[in-house]
Amino acid sequence: MVTRLFLGCGAVGQRLLEATEEWTGETRAVCTSESRVKTLREEGVDAAVGDPSERETLAAFEDVGVVVVAADDADQNQRVAAVARRCFPEAFLLAYTGHDGDTAALRSVADSVVDPTAVVATEATNRVSGEAVGDSLRLRQVLTEIDGTLAVVMHDNPDPDAIASGVAMCRLAEATGTDAEACYYGDISHQENRAMVNLLDLDLRTLGPDDDLGQFGGFALVDHARPSINDQLPEELHVDIVVDHHPPRGPVQGRYQDIRTDVGSTSTLLTDHCHRLGVRLDESVATALLYGIQIDTNEFRREASRLDFEAAARLLPYVDEAVLDRIESPSVDGETLDTLSRAIENREVRGSVIVTGVGSISDRDALPQAADKLLTMSGITCTLVYGFIGDTTYVSARARGTDVDLGETLRAAFNQIGSAGGHADMAGAQIPVTQAFGEFVDEAERDEAIRDIITDRFFDAWYERPRDSDVVTPPRGSSGLPYDRE
C-alpha cells in the first residue's frame, strides 16, 4: 500500500489533501502548526505536529511512496524537500515552490515542481492569445454591443443540448453586462427535458406567434443556425450571434458565428467559451451543460471529440450529481406507456426491422421513447414508430449494429411527401397528412392507408439502400432536424 506523506500543509497542501482523500492508500501529514494539525485530524487525516525539515521527524515513517512538500513558506519548502529526498530516495517527490521560491534548487531534488508564477502566467497567456481565444473575445465584443435585452433562441421544442446552450449563453451575456433571456417556441414535453428544467430551476421563456420581437435588442441562435429553420422566427430577422455544431444547409447570417461541426454538442462550444472568458458557472448551468453533452454524444459513444471530453472534465467539479441522476431517471407518464403498448401490439417485423403505428398522440416525444424501447428486443437492429398529431404524421426511427445510414434511408423514403433526415443511428420525419395523402373519411381509413404507405416506403428504402462502403454519409446533423424531432 502506497503511503502519501504531506510535509507542511499550507493553502496548496490543504487543497491537495482534499483532492486525494478518496484515493486508495494511506495519507499522513506533518505540520508545525498545531491549529492546522487539529483541523486535519477533525477531517480524518492522520496528522502530527513536528518539524518536517528534521530527519528525526521523518525517520518515523516507513513505506512512503509519495512525498508532497507544500508549506506556504518557500524557504521552508526548499529545506524540507532536500531532507525528504535523503530520507526517501525512492519516493516520488512533488514540491510547491511558494511565491518567490528558488525553482531551480527545488528541481535538483524533486521529481516534479509546481511553480505558481509559471502556472498563472501560462493560464493568463492561454486566456489572451491564440486563434480560439481571439474567437471567444470576438463573441464577448458582440455581446457587449447588444443594445437592450438579448433573446437567446433555441430550436423549437428544445432538447437538452439546446436548453443548456441557451442558459449558458445567457450567463455569458450577463457577464458582459448585457441582459439576456433564454427563449423557445413550442413545448418541452420529453420527461427528461422537463425534469432537467424543473429540477435545475432553469429560467426559460416561451415565445408565441403574437409576441413582439421588437422588445429585444438582439438575437442569438443556439443549436441551430438559421431563423425560420427549426424555429418560428421570421426568415428576414437580423441575427447577431450563431453558435451551433450542425452543418448548416444554407447561408448563415450573424455578426458572430461559431459553427464547429467536429464536436458532439453545442453545449461543448458554450463550455469552451465560458472557460476561455473566465465566466464561472453555477451548479445548475454546469449540470445542464454536462447533461446536454451526454445526450447529444449518446454518453460519449457517438461522434464525441476531444473537446467534448475536455468540456465534461471542466464541468464535472461543479455538477450536482444527485440532481443529474434524477434527471436521467424521471417518472414515466401514462401516455408514454400507452404509446409503447400500442407500438408493441401493432408492430410489423420483417427480418430484424420493426415498423409500427401508434395512432393519435398528444406527446410526440413518446415516439422516440417507444423506438428506443423496441430496439432492445432480441434480434432487432432497426425500429420505426409513427403517430398522428392533428394533420401531421410524426416518424421516429432508431438503429444499431447496421451499416445502413438511417437518416439517408428516411430521406429516400419520405422526402417526396414530407421532410426527413437525421443521423446514421437516429432519424425522424414529418409528413403533412392532407397535403401528402388527401382527405380521409375517418381515422380508421386514415390509419390503414398511411400504415401501408409508410411501411412500404420505409422497407423499400431500407432494403434498397447502399451499404456504408458504397456511399458517403453526410455529416452529423445535416438534416437540420434537432434531437427532439428525431
Side-chain angles (χ1 to χ4, degrees):
M1 180 178 292
V2 174
T3 297
R4 292 181 296 276
L5 180 59
F6 283 75
L7 303 177
C9 295
V12 172
Q14 183 78 14
R15 292 292 298 275
L16 288 171
L17 273 168
E18 294 171 355
T20 59
E21 64 181 358
E22 300 296 329
W23 292 10
T24 58
E26 185 179 0
T27 298
R28 310 283 295 278
V30 178
C31 184
T32 57
S33 169
E34 292 187 8
S35 61
R36 180 61 58 85
V37 168
K38 180 180 179 182
T39 300
L40 291 175
R41 287 174 175 171
E42 292 173 349
E43 295 174 353
V45 178
D46 184 357
V49 178
D51 185 351
S53 65
E54 294 181 356
R55 296 195 63 169
E56 292 78 7
T57 302
L58 304 187
F61 299 96
E62 298 178 352
D63 299 325
V64 175
V66 176
V67 178
V68 179
V69 179
D72 290 329
D73 183 82
D75 292 336
Q76 180 186 358
N77 285 344
Q78 189 171 328
R79 293 193 305 271
V80 172
V83 174
R85 174 51 72 211
R86 291 194 295 271
C87 292
F88 310 110
E90 302 300 324
F92 178 85
L93 199 161
L94 170 69
Y96 171 64
T97 64
H99 296 289
D100 300 322
D102 189 339
T103 303
L106 274 179
R107 290 191 189 281
S108 67
V109 295
D111 296 292
S112 182
V113 174
V114 178
D115 181 351
T117 302
V119 170
V120 171
T122 299
E123 179 66 14
T125 301
N126 290 340
R127 291 283 179 89
V128 298
S129 65
E131 181 178 349
V133 174
D135 187 63
S136 294
L137 292 174
R138 287 192 293 276
L139 171 58
R140 186 182 187 279
Q141 181 63 35
V142 173
L143 286 169
T144 61
E145 293 172 354
I146 300 296
D147 184 14
T149 299
L150 174 70
V152 180
V153 183
M154 317 162 206
H155 57 66
D156 284 1
N157 312 304
D159 65 355
D161 188 30
I163 294 169
S165 301
V167 296
M169 179 65 78
C170 288
R171 293 294 188 276
L172 274 173
E174 290 159 3
T176 69
T178 298
D179 292 332
E181 289 189 273
C183 307
Y184 68 94
Y185 290 91
D187 300 302
I188 299 176
S189 53
H190 198 291
Q191 285 95 334
E192 285 91 343
N193 301 358
R194 289 198 301 266
M196 172 187 179
V197 173
N198 294 332
L199 292 173
L200 296 176
D201 194 24
L202 301 179
D203 188 13
L204 309 181
R205 175 176 175 178
T206 306
L207 293 177
D210 297 329
D211 283 321
D212 178 18
L213 299 180
Q215 64 187 289
F216 297 108
F219 293 87
L221 304 184
V222 293
D223 207 32
H224 69 302
R226 300 166 61 199
S228 81
I229 305 296
N230 293 334
D231 66 33
Q232 297 177 41
L233 297 172
E235 184 177 0
E236 67 278 6
L237 181 75
H238 172 78
V239 175
D240 299 276
I241 296 166
V242 175
V243 180
D244 190 18
H245 73 114
H246 301 96
R249 304 190 72 187
V252 176
Q253 58 158 305
R255 291 193 291 150
Y256 173 84
Q257 300 176 23
D258 181 7
I259 301 176
R260 283 180 262 176
T261 60
D262 57 345
V263 301
S265 73
T266 305
S267 294
T268 296
L269 304 182
L270 267 299
T271 302
D272 190 38
H273 285 300
C274 289
H275 171 69
R276 294 187 182 282
L277 295 175
V279 176
R280 294 185 64 85
L281 298 172
D282 58 33
E283 214 172 49
S284 63
V285 178
T287 304
L289 286 169
L290 181 59
Y291 186 56
I293 296 172
Q294 289 177 324
I295 290 297
D296 256 39
T297 62
N298 191 22
E299 300 291 345
F300 302 97
R301 294 190 293 266
R302 183 180 62 230
E303 301 182 27
S305 69
R306 176 177 177 176
L307 191 60
D308 295 307
F309 286 99
E310 290 177 350
R314 291 191 179 109
L315 293 168
L316 194 58
Y318 310 103
V319 166
D320 188 327
E321 295 184 12
V323 171
L324 186 59
D325 287 341
R326 293 175 63 190
I327 293 171
E328 293 171 335
S329 303
S331 58
V332 179
D333 61 32
E335 181 178 355
T336 299
L337 293 176
D338 289 341
T339 299
L340 178 58
S341 175
R342 294 196 299 273
I344 295 172
E345 181 181 357
N346 300 334
R347 70 188 186 278
E348 179 174 345
V349 182
R350 297 187 190 177
S352 63
V353 181
I354 287 178
V355 174
T356 184
V358 297
S360 296
I361 56 175
S362 61
D363 180 4
R364 61 193 262 183
D365 285 310
L367 297 177
Q369 293 180 77
D372 284 330
K373 290 293 185 183
L374 290 175
L375 195 60
T376 65
M377 294 178 63
S378 177
I380 297 302
T381 61
C382 178
T383 62
L384 182 145
V385 183
Y386 66 91
F388 310 101
I389 299 180
D391 191 52
T392 302
T393 302
Y394 292 97
V395 178
S396 182
R398 296 289 187 270
R400 67 176 179 184
T402 174
D403 56 0
V404 176
D405 186 293
L406 191 56
E408 281 293 300
T409 301
L410 261 63
R411 277 188 280 272
F414 303 122
N415 260 358
Q416 290 184 337
I417 58 175
S419 60
H423 318 307
D425 58 353
M426 179 175 67
Q430 298 176 26
I431 305 167
V433 175
T434 302
Q435 179 180 329
F437 308 116
E439 297 286 349
F440 293 100
V441 175
D442 53 31
E443 282 193 7
E445 181 191 20
R446 177 201 65 183
D447 291 359
E448 183 177 356
I450 294 179
R451 179 194 64 206
D452 293 340
I453 293 171
I454 287 181
T455 301
D456 290 345
R457 279 180 169 269
F458 178 71
F459 278 125
D460 287 347
W462 177 262
Y463 288 111
E464 291 177 6
R465 292 303 301 164
R467 306 294 110 172
D468 285 347
S469 58
D470 301 323
V471 299
V472 177
T473 301
R476 182 176 188 270
S478 60
S479 66
L481 288 173
Y483 166 86
D484 177 78
R485 292 192 171 185
E486 295 166 2

